[in-house]
Amino acid sequence: MATIAPEALPSGRAGSAEEADDAPDAGFEPLSAEQAAQWRAAQPPQSPWPVVGAQAVAGLVAVAVGWWLSDGDVAVRWSVAYGVLAAWLPAVLFARMVARRMRVQAHAGGALMALMVGEGIKIALTVALLLAAPRVLTQVHWLALLAGFVVTIKAAWLALWWSSKRRAAMPRGAAIGSKTG
């Protein structure tokens, strides 16, 4: 078994993790106010609505496929639709909260807190909708419900992945200037 030797400090002796955390970061230079403004201009915030739209489209496709494969079983059709709704409705409410927060442009701490609270509400609403399925639907086909739910959730990840790929392919705005002097 190999052992890993601790890194040496600039003084030449081995140090602890706490001492390494206190050491200055070599090569790190904070951005000036002008550079930070340029970076923010080149990194516009993304809207959550394209992700919600992709979820709606994927959900409609899942319902159509469920309708086609159900062979007239109404419980399967309604279960797929309810699974889509259990994933999509909380996403819409969360996107509305995020979009409102983006318009307000609050400080980072408030935005992070709103994001955490919004995600908590989204999870609680999703769980409540899934637990309510047997009371809402006359007959639940759990596999169909889960299929609609998973397709809708995965559509959000695919939409985010696709938008990040598209964003990476776009030419950047003005490059951040380097320090001179």
Side-chain angles (χ1 to χ4, degrees):
M1 180 170 190
T3 59
I4 300 173
E7 280 189 43
L9 292 175
S11 64
R13 65 179 182 84
S16 67
E18 289 81 19
E19 290 173 325
D21 286 342
D22 293 337
D25 292 329
F28 176 76
E29 295 183 30
L31 297 178
S32 68
E34 181 181 315
Q35 289 171 325
Q38 287 176 350
W39 183 85
R40 278 192 295 276
Q43 307 291 326
Q46 286 185 286
S47 172
W49 295 112
V51 173
V52 173
Q55 283 185 299
V57 169
L60 289 174
V61 168
V63 169
V65 168
W67 187 278
W68 181 62
L69 293 176
S70 67
D71 291 331
D73 189 354
V74 178
V76 171
R77 294 174 181 174
W78 280 109
S79 294
V80 171
Y82 191 85
V84 169
L85 182 73
W88 185 73
L89 184 62
V92 169
L93 295 175
F94 180 69
R96 187 167 183 263
M97 290 176 67
V98 169
R100 187 175 346 140
R101 178 56 69 180
M102 286 171 56
R103 282 192 304 270
V104 172
Q105 291 293 327
H107 64 340
L112 181 61
M113 181 58 78
L115 186 72
M116 290 172 46
V117 168
E119 190 64 32
I121 291 169
K122 179 180 161 186
I123 291 170
L125 181 57
T126 300
V127 169
L129 286 169
L130 291 174
L131 290 174
R135 292 185 180 168
V136 173
L137 301 173
T138 54
Q139 184 181 0
V140 181
H141 191 283
W142 287 103
L143 186 59
L145 188 143
L146 187 61
F149 182 81
V150 168
V151 165
T152 307
I153 293 293
K154 292 301 176 186
W157 288 105
L158 287 174
L160 288 170
W161 174 77
W162 184 71
S163 72
S164 72
K165 288 288 187 187
R166 199 177 69 188
R167 245 181 120 156
M170 293 171 57
R172 295 283 179 190
I176 298 174
S178 60
K179 281 189 171 180
T180 58

